[in-house]
PDB file of all heavy atoms in Angstrom:
ATOM      1  N   VAL A  29      -8.148  10.544  -3.647  1.00  0.00           N
ATOM      2  CA  VAL A  29      -6.937  11.409  -3.777  1.00  0.00           C
ATOM      3  C   VAL A  29      -5.895  10.820  -2.873  1.00  0.00           C
ATOM      4  O   VAL A  29      -4.678  10.736  -3.258  1.00  0.00           O
ATOM      5  CB  VAL A  29      -7.273  12.829  -3.351  1.00  0.00           C
ATOM      6  CG1 VAL A  29      -6.068  13.708  -3.291  1.00  0.00           C
ATOM      7  CG2 VAL A  29      -8.362  13.422  -4.262  1.00  0.00           C
ATOM      8  N   PHE A  30      -6.151  10.417  -1.650  1.00  0.00           N
ATOM      9  CA  PHE A  30      -5.229   9.802  -0.769  1.00  0.00           C
ATOM     10  C   PHE A  30      -4.552   8.544  -1.343  1.00  0.00           C
ATOM     11  O   PHE A  30      -3.321   8.505  -1.325  1.00  0.00           O
ATOM     12  CB  PHE A  30      -5.872   9.468   0.567  1.00  0.00           C
ATOM     13  CG  PHE A  30      -5.026   8.736   1.505  1.00  0.00           C
ATOM     14  CD1 PHE A  30      -3.963   9.228   2.090  1.00  0.00           C
ATOM     15  CD2 PHE A  30      -5.363   7.348   1.827  1.00  0.00           C
ATOM     16  CE1 PHE A  30      -3.152   8.545   3.034  1.00  0.00           C
ATOM     17  CE2 PHE A  30      -4.614   6.693   2.785  1.00  0.00           C
ATOM     18  CZ  PHE A  30      -3.484   7.209   3.317  1.00  0.00           C
ATOM     19  N   ALA A  31      -5.369   7.694  -1.943  1.00  0.00           N
ATOM     20  CA  ALA A  31      -4.770   6.492  -2.522  1.00  0.00           C
ATOM     21  C   ALA A  31      -3.834   6.796  -3.684  1.00  0.00           C
ATOM     22  O   ALA A  31      -2.826   6.227  -3.914  1.00  0.00           O
ATOM     23  CB  ALA A  31      -5.949   5.648  -2.958  1.00  0.00           C
ATOM     24  N   THR A  32      -4.271   7.835  -4.502  1.00  0.00           N
ATOM     25  CA  THR A  32      -3.505   8.155  -5.704  1.00  0.00           C
ATOM     26  C   THR A  32      -2.162   8.692  -5.345  1.00  0.00           C
ATOM     27  O   THR A  32      -1.085   8.219  -5.817  1.00  0.00           O
ATOM     28  CB  THR A  32      -4.236   9.207  -6.489  1.00  0.00           C
ATOM     29  OG1 THR A  32      -5.467   8.774  -6.930  1.00  0.00           O
ATOM     30  CG2 THR A  32      -3.451   9.586  -7.749  1.00  0.00           C
ATOM     31  N   VAL A  33      -2.059   9.648  -4.391  1.00  0.00           N
ATOM     32  CA  VAL A  33      -0.785  10.177  -4.022  1.00  0.00           C
ATOM     33  C   VAL A  33       0.069   9.183  -3.213  1.00  0.00           C
ATOM     34  O   VAL A  33       1.343   9.175  -3.276  1.00  0.00           O
ATOM     35  CB  VAL A  33      -0.894  11.502  -3.293  1.00  0.00           C
ATOM     36  CG1 VAL A  33      -1.556  12.560  -4.200  1.00  0.00           C
ATOM     37  CG2 VAL A  33      -1.731  11.386  -2.000  1.00  0.00           C
ATOM     38  N   THR A  34      -0.589   8.387  -2.494  1.00  0.00           N
ATOM     39  CA  THR A  34       0.119   7.318  -1.714  1.00  0.00           C
ATOM     40  C   THR A  34       0.766   6.292  -2.721  1.00  0.00           C
ATOM     41  O   THR A  34       1.859   5.812  -2.446  1.00  0.00           O
ATOM     42  CB  THR A  34      -0.730   6.645  -0.644  1.00  0.00           C
ATOM     43  OG1 THR A  34      -1.299   7.549   0.217  1.00  0.00           O
ATOM     44  CG2 THR A  34       0.000   5.609   0.178  1.00  0.00           C
ATOM     45  N   CYS A  35       0.020   6.019  -3.774  1.00  0.00           N
ATOM     46  CA  CYS A  35       0.527   5.066  -4.756  1.00  0.00           C
ATOM     47  C   CYS A  35       1.814   5.626  -5.372  1.00  0.00           C
ATOM     48  O   CYS A  35       2.724   4.913  -5.617  1.00  0.00           O
ATOM     49  CB  CYS A  35      -0.554   4.840  -5.804  1.00  0.00           C
ATOM     50  SG  CYS A  35      -0.008   3.751  -7.259  1.00  0.00           S
ATOM     51  N   LEU A  36       1.847   6.932  -5.578  1.00  0.00           N
ATOM     52  CA  LEU A  36       3.071   7.597  -6.204  1.00  0.00           C
ATOM     53  C   LEU A  36       4.169   7.460  -5.136  1.00  0.00           C
ATOM     54  O   LEU A  36       5.334   7.170  -5.552  1.00  0.00           O
ATOM     55  CB  LEU A  36       2.731   9.042  -6.429  1.00  0.00           C
ATOM     56  CG  LEU A  36       1.740   9.298  -7.580  1.00  0.00           C
ATOM     57  CD1 LEU A  36       1.552  10.817  -7.670  1.00  0.00           C
ATOM     58  CD2 LEU A  36       2.173   8.710  -8.856  1.00  0.00           C
ATOM     59  N   ALA A  37       3.939   7.609  -3.890  1.00  0.00           N
ATOM     60  CA  ALA A  37       4.982   7.470  -2.861  1.00  0.00           C
ATOM     61  C   ALA A  37       5.438   6.049  -2.814  1.00  0.00           C
ATOM     62  O   ALA A  37       6.712   5.806  -2.709  1.00  0.00           O
ATOM     63  CB  ALA A  37       4.435   7.925  -1.506  1.00  0.00           C
ATOM     64  N   VAL A  38       4.556   5.127  -2.880  1.00  0.00           N
ATOM     65  CA  VAL A  38       4.974   3.636  -2.802  1.00  0.00           C
ATOM     66  C   VAL A  38       5.885   3.365  -3.987  1.00  0.00           C
ATOM     67  O   VAL A  38       6.925   2.667  -3.844  1.00  0.00           O
ATOM     68  CB  VAL A  38       3.701   2.784  -2.946  1.00  0.00           C
ATOM     69  CG1 VAL A  38       4.084   1.310  -3.174  1.00  0.00           C
ATOM     70  CG2 VAL A  38       2.961   2.882  -1.548  1.00  0.00           C
ATOM     71  N   MET A  39       5.525   3.774  -5.231  1.00  0.00           N
ATOM     72  CA  MET A  39       6.274   3.489  -6.388  1.00  0.00           C
ATOM     73  C   MET A  39       7.670   4.221  -6.343  1.00  0.00           C
ATOM     74  O   MET A  39       8.622   3.718  -6.934  1.00  0.00           O
ATOM     75  CB  MET A  39       5.494   3.794  -7.656  1.00  0.00           C
ATOM     76  CG  MET A  39       4.272   2.993  -7.856  1.00  0.00           C
ATOM     77  SD  MET A  39       4.674   1.166  -7.821  1.00  0.00           S
ATOM     78  CE  MET A  39       3.227   0.554  -6.858  1.00  0.00           C
ATOM     79  N   THR A  40       7.657   5.380  -5.769  1.00  0.00           N
ATOM     80  CA  THR A  40       8.961   6.097  -5.663  1.00  0.00           C
ATOM     81  C   THR A  40       9.862   5.325  -4.799  1.00  0.00           C
ATOM     82  O   THR A  40      11.053   5.192  -5.055  1.00  0.00           O
ATOM     83  CB  THR A  40       8.763   7.533  -5.101  1.00  0.00           C
ATOM     84  OG1 THR A  40       7.810   8.160  -5.990  1.00  0.00           O
ATOM     85  CG2 THR A  40      10.051   8.280  -5.041  1.00  0.00           C
ATOM     86  N   CYS A  41       9.298   4.756  -3.605  1.00  0.00           N
ATOM     87  CA  CYS A  41      10.193   3.923  -2.753  1.00  0.00           C
ATOM     88  C   CYS A  41      10.694   2.696  -3.472  1.00  0.00           C
ATOM     89  O   CYS A  41      11.834   2.306  -3.412  1.00  0.00           O
ATOM     90  CB  CYS A  41       9.393   3.523  -1.546  1.00  0.00           C
ATOM     91  SG  CYS A  41       9.028   4.884  -0.431  1.00  0.00           S
ATOM     92  N   LEU A  42       9.737   2.048  -4.204  1.00  0.00           N
ATOM     93  CA  LEU A  42      10.122   0.818  -4.914  1.00  0.00           C
ATOM     94  C   LEU A  42      11.197   1.175  -6.057  1.00  0.00           C
ATOM     95  O   LEU A  42      12.141   0.327  -6.115  1.00  0.00           O
ATOM     96  CB  LEU A  42       8.896   0.187  -5.537  1.00  0.00           C
ATOM     97  CG  LEU A  42       9.120  -1.168  -6.280  1.00  0.00           C
ATOM     98  CD1 LEU A  42       9.640  -2.246  -5.382  1.00  0.00           C
ATOM     99  CD2 LEU A  42       7.756  -1.654  -6.863  1.00  0.00           C
ATOM    100  N   ALA A  43      11.008   2.211  -6.790  1.00  0.00           N
ATOM    101  CA  ALA A  43      11.962   2.545  -7.845  1.00  0.00           C
ATOM    102  C   ALA A  43      13.309   2.901  -7.202  1.00  0.00           C
ATOM    103  O   ALA A  43      14.346   2.554  -7.709  1.00  0.00           O
ATOM    104  CB  ALA A  43      11.412   3.699  -8.586  1.00  0.00           C
ATOM    105  N   GLY A  44      13.217   3.588  -5.975  1.00  0.00           N
ATOM    106  CA  GLY A  44      14.443   3.900  -5.309  1.00  0.00           C
ATOM    107  C   GLY A  44      15.233   2.674  -4.820  1.00  0.00           C
ATOM    108  O   GLY A  44      16.465   2.587  -4.918  1.00  0.00           O
ATOM    109  N   ALA A  45      14.481   1.705  -4.332  1.00  0.00           N
ATOM    110  CA  ALA A  45      15.123   0.474  -3.825  1.00  0.00           C
ATOM    111  C   ALA A  45      15.810  -0.334  -4.926  1.00  0.00           C
ATOM    112  O   ALA A  45      16.864  -0.888  -4.774  1.00  0.00           O
ATOM    113  CB  ALA A  45      14.074  -0.389  -3.130  1.00  0.00           C
ATOM    114  N   LEU A  46      15.145  -0.339  -6.141  1.00  0.00           N
ATOM    115  CA  LEU A  46      15.642  -1.080  -7.239  1.00  0.00           C
ATOM    116  C   LEU A  46      16.741  -0.355  -8.034  1.00  0.00           C
ATOM    117  O   LEU A  46      17.501  -1.034  -8.757  1.00  0.00           O
ATOM    118  CB  LEU A  46      14.494  -1.477  -8.198  1.00  0.00           C
ATOM    119  CG  LEU A  46      13.449  -2.416  -7.564  1.00  0.00           C
ATOM    120  CD1 LEU A  46      12.303  -2.632  -8.529  1.00  0.00           C
ATOM    121  CD2 LEU A  46      14.077  -3.735  -7.146  1.00  0.00           C
ATOM    122  N   SER A  47      16.745   0.975  -8.003  1.00  0.00           N
ATOM    123  CA  SER A  47      17.702   1.761  -8.758  1.00  0.00           C
ATOM    124  C   SER A  47      19.077   1.697  -8.175  1.00  0.00           C
ATOM    125  O   SER A  47      20.075   1.967  -8.876  1.00  0.00           O
ATOM    126  CB  SER A  47      17.208   3.152  -8.805  1.00  0.00           C
ATOM    127  OG  SER A  47      17.295   3.790  -7.542  1.00  0.00           O
ATOM    128  N   GLY A  48      19.199   1.460  -6.872  1.00  0.00           N
ATOM    129  CA  GLY A  48      20.524   1.531  -6.224  1.00  0.00           C
ATOM    130  C   GLY A  48      20.953   2.857  -5.748  1.00  0.00           C
ATOM    131  O   GLY A  48      22.033   3.005  -5.266  1.00  0.00           O
ATOM    132  N   ILE A  49      20.112   3.856  -5.984  1.00  0.00           N
ATOM    133  CA  ILE A  49      20.434   5.264  -5.561  1.00  0.00           C
ATOM    134  C   ILE A  49      20.581   5.370  -4.059  1.00  0.00           C
ATOM    135  O   ILE A  49      21.524   5.933  -3.606  1.00  0.00           O
ATOM    136  CB  ILE A  49      19.399   6.233  -6.136  1.00  0.00           C
ATOM    137  CG1 ILE A  49      19.512   6.272  -7.655  1.00  0.00           C
ATOM    138  CG2 ILE A  49      19.687   7.664  -5.583  1.00  0.00           C
ATOM    139  CD1 ILE A  49      18.306   7.110  -8.260  1.00  0.00           C
ATOM    140  N   GLU A  50      19.636   4.708  -3.384  1.00  0.00           N
ATOM    141  CA  GLU A  50      19.632   4.729  -1.927  1.00  0.00           C
ATOM    142  C   GLU A  50      19.938   3.371  -1.440  1.00  0.00           C
ATOM    143  O   GLU A  50      19.307   2.361  -1.857  1.00  0.00           O
ATOM    144  CB  GLU A  50      18.227   5.165  -1.453  1.00  0.00           C
ATOM    145  CG  GLU A  50      18.070   5.107   0.096  1.00  0.00           C
ATOM    146  CD  GLU A  50      19.132   5.897   0.845  1.00  0.00           C
ATOM    147  OE1 GLU A  50      19.311   7.093   0.450  1.00  0.00           O
ATOM    148  OE2 GLU A  50      19.699   5.324   1.759  1.00  0.00           O
ATOM    149  N   LYS A  51      20.974   3.177  -0.657  1.00  0.00           N
ATOM    150  CA  LYS A  51      21.501   1.914  -0.264  1.00  0.00           C
ATOM    151  C   LYS A  51      20.586   1.086   0.757  1.00  0.00           C
ATOM    152  O   LYS A  51      20.681  -0.043   0.871  1.00  0.00           O
ATOM    153  CB  LYS A  51      22.863   2.044   0.303  1.00  0.00           C
ATOM    154  CG  LYS A  51      23.866   2.662  -0.565  1.00  0.00           C
ATOM    155  CD  LYS A  51      24.052   1.847  -1.939  1.00  0.00           C
ATOM    156  CE  LYS A  51      24.959   2.543  -2.953  1.00  0.00           C
ATOM    157  NZ  LYS A  51      24.996   1.910  -4.227  1.00  0.00           N
ATOM    158  N   ARG A  52      19.794   1.888   1.506  1.00  0.00           N
ATOM    159  CA  ARG A  52      18.953   1.287   2.520  1.00  0.00           C
ATOM    160  C   ARG A  52      17.681   0.765   1.888  1.00  0.00           C
ATOM    161  O   ARG A  52      16.538   1.167   2.190  1.00  0.00           O
ATOM    162  CB  ARG A  52      18.626   2.354   3.592  1.00  0.00           C
ATOM    163  CG  ARG A  52      19.789   2.805   4.433  1.00  0.00           C
ATOM    164  CD  ARG A  52      19.567   3.970   5.350  1.00  0.00           C
ATOM    165  NE  ARG A  52      19.455   5.203   4.519  1.00  0.00           N
ATOM    166  CZ  ARG A  52      19.347   6.377   5.059  1.00  0.00           C
ATOM    167  NH1 ARG A  52      19.252   6.544   6.390  1.00  0.00           N
ATOM    168  NH2 ARG A  52      19.265   7.407   4.283  1.00  0.00           N
ATOM    169  N   TRP A  53      17.848  -0.247   0.999  1.00  0.00           N
ATOM    170  CA  TRP A  53      16.748  -0.750   0.254  1.00  0.00           C
ATOM    171  C   TRP A  53      15.693  -1.510   1.041  1.00  0.00           C
ATOM    172  O   TRP A  53      14.487  -1.514   0.743  1.00  0.00           O
ATOM    173  CB  TRP A  53      17.305  -1.695  -0.925  1.00  0.00           C
ATOM    174  CG  TRP A  53      17.891  -2.909  -0.366  1.00  0.00           C
ATOM    175  CD1 TRP A  53      19.227  -3.074  -0.177  1.00  0.00           C
ATOM    176  CD2 TRP A  53      17.273  -4.174  -0.134  1.00  0.00           C
ATOM    177  NE1 TRP A  53      19.488  -4.374   0.248  1.00  0.00           N
ATOM    178  CE2 TRP A  53      18.254  -5.056   0.256  1.00  0.00           C
ATOM    179  CE3 TRP A  53      15.934  -4.597  -0.228  1.00  0.00           C
ATOM    180  CZ2 TRP A  53      18.015  -6.399   0.610  1.00  0.00           C
ATOM    181  CZ3 TRP A  53      15.700  -5.966   0.131  1.00  0.00           C
ATOM    182  CH2 TRP A  53      16.707  -6.835   0.526  1.00  0.00           C
ATOM    183  N   LYS A  54      16.094  -2.088   2.123  1.00  0.00           N
ATOM    184  CA  LYS A  54      15.172  -2.800   3.034  1.00  0.00           C
ATOM    185  C   LYS A  54      14.228  -1.864   3.671  1.00  0.00           C
ATOM    186  O   LYS A  54      13.018  -2.082   3.751  1.00  0.00           O
ATOM    187  CB  LYS A  54      15.944  -3.605   4.078  1.00  0.00           C
ATOM    188  CG  LYS A  54      16.719  -4.731   3.584  1.00  0.00           C
ATOM    189  CD  LYS A  54      17.444  -5.472   4.705  1.00  0.00           C
ATOM    190  CE  LYS A  54      18.311  -6.633   4.160  1.00  0.00           C
ATOM    191  NZ  LYS A  54      19.044  -7.330   5.219  1.00  0.00           N
ATOM    192  N   LEU A  55      14.712  -0.701   4.065  1.00  0.00           N
ATOM    193  CA  LEU A  55      13.790   0.364   4.639  1.00  0.00           C
ATOM    194  C   LEU A  55      12.776   0.794   3.525  1.00  0.00           C
ATOM    195  O   LEU A  55      11.621   1.005   3.882  1.00  0.00           O
ATOM    196  CB  LEU A  55      14.607   1.575   5.096  1.00  0.00           C
ATOM    197  CG  LEU A  55      13.830   2.783   5.634  1.00  0.00           C
ATOM    198  CD1 LEU A  55      13.019   2.446   6.872  1.00  0.00           C
ATOM    199  CD2 LEU A  55      14.792   3.943   5.852  1.00  0.00           C
ATOM    200  N   LEU A  56      13.237   1.029   2.305  1.00  0.00           N
ATOM    201  CA  LEU A  56      12.382   1.425   1.283  1.00  0.00           C
ATOM    202  C   LEU A  56      11.336   0.428   0.936  1.00  0.00           C
ATOM    203  O   LEU A  56      10.147   0.701   0.641  1.00  0.00           O
ATOM    204  CB  LEU A  56      13.245   1.746  -0.013  1.00  0.00           C
ATOM    205  CG  LEU A  56      14.314   2.766   0.131  1.00  0.00           C
ATOM    206  CD1 LEU A  56      14.985   3.111  -1.180  1.00  0.00           C
ATOM    207  CD2 LEU A  56      13.826   4.062   0.683  1.00  0.00           C
ATOM    208  N   VAL A  57      11.654  -0.885   0.908  1.00  0.00           N
ATOM    209  CA  VAL A  57      10.707  -1.939   0.623  1.00  0.00           C
ATOM    210  C   VAL A  57       9.662  -1.946   1.740  1.00  0.00           C
ATOM    211  O   VAL A  57       8.455  -2.128   1.567  1.00  0.00           O
ATOM    212  CB  VAL A  57      11.429  -3.274   0.491  1.00  0.00           C
ATOM    213  CG1 VAL A  57      10.388  -4.444   0.478  1.00  0.00           C
ATOM    214  CG2 VAL A  57      12.311  -3.283  -0.689  1.00  0.00           C
ATOM    215  N   LEU A  58      10.105  -1.818   3.013  1.00  0.00           N
ATOM    216  CA  LEU A  58       9.213  -1.802   4.160  1.00  0.00           C
ATOM    217  C   LEU A  58       8.301  -0.656   4.017  1.00  0.00           C
ATOM    218  O   LEU A  58       7.021  -0.676   4.329  1.00  0.00           O
ATOM    219  CB  LEU A  58       9.976  -1.743   5.464  1.00  0.00           C
ATOM    220  CG  LEU A  58       9.172  -1.800   6.763  1.00  0.00           C
ATOM    221  CD1 LEU A  58       8.483  -3.169   6.858  1.00  0.00           C
ATOM    222  CD2 LEU A  58      10.109  -1.638   7.932  1.00  0.00           C
ATOM    223  N   ALA A  59       8.773   0.542   3.652  1.00  0.00           N
ATOM    224  CA  ALA A  59       7.887   1.702   3.370  1.00  0.00           C
ATOM    225  C   ALA A  59       6.893   1.502   2.302  1.00  0.00           C
ATOM    226  O   ALA A  59       5.721   1.877   2.432  1.00  0.00           O
ATOM    227  CB  ALA A  59       8.806   2.942   3.108  1.00  0.00           C
ATOM    228  N   ALA A  60       7.367   0.869   1.287  1.00  0.00           N
ATOM    229  CA  ALA A  60       6.401   0.587   0.160  1.00  0.00           C
ATOM    230  C   ALA A  60       5.252  -0.404   0.598  1.00  0.00           C
ATOM    231  O   ALA A  60       4.159  -0.142   0.187  1.00  0.00           O
ATOM    232  CB  ALA A  60       7.225  -0.010  -1.086  1.00  0.00           C
ATOM    233  N   ILE A  61       5.571  -1.352   1.423  1.00  0.00           N
ATOM    234  CA  ILE A  61       4.628  -2.260   1.926  1.00  0.00           C
ATOM    235  C   ILE A  61       3.647  -1.460   2.851  1.00  0.00           C
ATOM    236  O   ILE A  61       2.412  -1.640   2.755  1.00  0.00           O
ATOM    237  CB  ILE A  61       5.240  -3.429   2.695  1.00  0.00           C
ATOM    238  CG1 ILE A  61       6.077  -4.301   1.742  1.00  0.00           C
ATOM    239  CG2 ILE A  61       4.193  -4.234   3.469  1.00  0.00           C
ATOM    240  CD1 ILE A  61       6.844  -5.357   2.488  1.00  0.00           C
ATOM    241  N   ALA A  62       4.147  -0.560   3.650  1.00  0.00           N
ATOM    242  CA  ALA A  62       3.274   0.239   4.530  1.00  0.00           C
ATOM    243  C   ALA A  62       2.364   1.063   3.751  1.00  0.00           C
ATOM    244  O   ALA A  62       1.181   1.174   3.935  1.00  0.00           O
ATOM    245  CB  ALA A  62       4.240   1.145   5.402  1.00  0.00           C
ATOM    246  N   GLY A  63       2.924   1.745   2.673  1.00  0.00           N
ATOM    247  CA  GLY A  63       2.031   2.536   1.849  1.00  0.00           C
ATOM    248  C   GLY A  63       0.931   1.710   1.078  1.00  0.00           C
ATOM    249  O   GLY A  63      -0.207   2.141   0.897  1.00  0.00           O
ATOM    250  N   ALA A  64       1.316   0.465   0.708  1.00  0.00           N
ATOM    251  CA  ALA A  64       0.444  -0.358  -0.042  1.00  0.00           C
ATOM    252  C   ALA A  64      -0.761  -0.743   0.876  1.00  0.00           C
ATOM    253  O   ALA A  64      -1.932  -0.752   0.487  1.00  0.00           O
ATOM    254  CB  ALA A  64       1.058  -1.567  -0.538  1.00  0.00           C
ATOM    255  N   ILE A  65      -0.467  -0.979   2.176  1.00  0.00           N
ATOM    256  CA  ILE A  65      -1.550  -1.310   3.121  1.00  0.00           C
ATOM    257  C   ILE A  65      -2.428  -0.109   3.297  1.00  0.00           C
ATOM    258  O   ILE A  65      -3.644  -0.265   3.403  1.00  0.00           O
ATOM    259  CB  ILE A  65      -0.853  -1.766   4.436  1.00  0.00           C
ATOM    260  CG1 ILE A  65      -0.129  -3.080   4.309  1.00  0.00           C
ATOM    261  CG2 ILE A  65      -2.031  -1.936   5.547  1.00  0.00           C
ATOM    262  CD1 ILE A  65       0.729  -3.425   5.549  1.00  0.00           C
ATOM    263  N   ALA A  66      -1.890   1.073   3.353  1.00  0.00           N
ATOM    264  CA  ALA A  66      -2.648   2.308   3.525  1.00  0.00           C
ATOM    265  C   ALA A  66      -3.607   2.415   2.312  1.00  0.00           C
ATOM    266  O   ALA A  66      -4.814   2.829   2.480  1.00  0.00           O
ATOM    267  CB  ALA A  66      -1.806   3.541   3.592  1.00  0.00           C
ATOM    268  N   ILE A  67      -3.116   2.065   1.132  1.00  0.00           N
ATOM    269  CA  ILE A  67      -4.000   2.121  -0.084  1.00  0.00           C
ATOM    270  C   ILE A  67      -5.112   1.164   0.026  1.00  0.00           C
ATOM    271  O   ILE A  67      -6.304   1.445  -0.407  1.00  0.00           O
ATOM    272  CB  ILE A  67      -3.104   1.882  -1.295  1.00  0.00           C
ATOM    273  CG1 ILE A  67      -2.139   3.058  -1.580  1.00  0.00           C
ATOM    274  CG2 ILE A  67      -4.057   1.734  -2.550  1.00  0.00           C
ATOM    275  CD1 ILE A  67      -1.070   2.774  -2.646  1.00  0.00           C
ATOM    276  N   VAL A  68      -4.881  -0.006   0.546  1.00  0.00           N
ATOM    277  CA  VAL A  68      -5.940  -1.028   0.777  1.00  0.00           C
ATOM    278  C   VAL A  68      -7.006  -0.428   1.690  1.00  0.00           C
ATOM    279  O   VAL A  68      -8.234  -0.517   1.455  1.00  0.00           O
ATOM    280  CB  VAL A  68      -5.410  -2.328   1.365  1.00  0.00           C
ATOM    281  CG1 VAL A  68      -6.524  -3.283   1.680  1.00  0.00           C
ATOM    282  CG2 VAL A  68      -4.507  -3.003   0.314  1.00  0.00           C
ATOM    283  N   TYR A  69      -6.595   0.256   2.781  1.00  0.00           N
ATOM    284  CA  TYR A  69      -7.579   0.838   3.731  1.00  0.00           C
ATOM    285  C   TYR A  69      -8.332   1.979   3.077  1.00  0.00           C
ATOM    286  O   TYR A  69      -9.424   2.338   3.608  1.00  0.00           O
ATOM    287  CB  TYR A  69      -6.826   1.315   4.980  1.00  0.00           C
ATOM    288  CG  TYR A  69      -6.392   0.235   5.928  1.00  0.00           C
ATOM    289  CD1 TYR A  69      -5.131   0.137   6.457  1.00  0.00           C
ATOM    290  CD2 TYR A  69      -7.375  -0.738   6.364  1.00  0.00           C
ATOM    291  CE1 TYR A  69      -4.822  -0.833   7.409  1.00  0.00           C
ATOM    292  CE2 TYR A  69      -7.027  -1.701   7.229  1.00  0.00           C
ATOM    293  CZ  TYR A  69      -5.728  -1.851   7.839  1.00  0.00           C
ATOM    294  OH  TYR A  69      -5.457  -2.769   8.638  1.00  0.00           O
ATOM    295  N   SER A  70      -7.832   2.583   2.036  1.00  0.00           N
ATOM    296  CA  SER A  70      -8.542   3.686   1.408  1.00  0.00           C
ATOM    297  C   SER A  70      -9.783   3.113   0.664  1.00  0.00           C
ATOM    298  O   SER A  70     -10.758   3.919   0.399  1.00  0.00           O
ATOM    299  CB  SER A  70      -7.672   4.427   0.371  1.00  0.00           C
ATOM    300  OG  SER A  70      -7.467   3.654  -0.750  1.00  0.00           O
ATOM    301  N   GLY A  71      -9.762   1.862   0.320  1.00  0.00           N
ATOM    302  CA  GLY A  71     -10.964   1.348  -0.408  1.00  0.00           C
ATOM    303  C   GLY A  71     -11.045   1.867  -1.873  1.00  0.00           C
ATOM    304  O   GLY A  71     -12.110   1.626  -2.461  1.00  0.00           O
ATOM    305  N   SER A  72     -10.000   2.374  -2.452  1.00  0.00           N
ATOM    306  CA  SER A  72     -10.033   2.921  -3.813  1.00  0.00           C
ATOM    307  C   SER A  72      -9.658   1.865  -4.819  1.00  0.00           C
ATOM    308  O   SER A  72      -8.523   1.557  -5.030  1.00  0.00           O
ATOM    309  CB  SER A  72      -9.081   4.124  -3.909  1.00  0.00           C
ATOM    310  OG  SER A  72      -9.439   5.194  -3.018  1.00  0.00           O
ATOM    311  N   ARG A  73     -10.722   1.326  -5.363  1.00  0.00           N
ATOM    312  CA  ARG A  73     -10.496   0.027  -6.136  1.00  0.00           C
ATOM    313  C   ARG A  73      -9.709   0.376  -7.419  1.00  0.00           C
ATOM    314  O   ARG A  73      -8.942  -0.542  -7.828  1.00  0.00           O
ATOM    315  CB  ARG A  73     -11.918  -0.545  -6.549  1.00  0.00           C
ATOM    316  CG  ARG A  73     -12.620  -1.059  -5.352  1.00  0.00           C
ATOM    317  CD  ARG A  73     -14.032  -1.546  -5.704  1.00  0.00           C
ATOM    318  NE  ARG A  73     -14.892  -0.470  -6.073  1.00  0.00           N
ATOM    319  CZ  ARG A  73     -16.078  -0.254  -5.528  1.00  0.00           C
ATOM    320  NH1 ARG A  73     -16.492  -0.884  -4.535  1.00  0.00           N
ATOM    321  NH2 ARG A  73     -16.842   0.754  -6.008  1.00  0.00           N
TER     322      ARG A  73
END
């Protein structure tokens, strides 16, 4: 469950960075990377 909802948060950040809606795209990319690492630690293949 943790990995699933974190994946949604990661993709929301990535979509936001690429859409241009939020100008702080570097922060969003960094957040997406952080979330992706958390998903790796979840072990949810």
Side-chain angles (χ1 to χ4, degrees):
V29 176
F30 172 66
T32 302
V33 296
T34 303
C35 179
L36 295 178
V38 168
M39 294 307 139
T40 301
C41 291
L42 183 59
L46 296 177
S47 67
I49 296 173
E50 175 58 48
K51 302 304 180 185
R52 291 169 287 186
W53 65 269
K54 293 180 181 178
L55 175 65
L56 302 185
V57 172
L58 185 62
I61 294 173
I65 295 173
I67 292 171
V68 172
Y69 282 132
S70 75
S72 300
R73 292 177 293 236

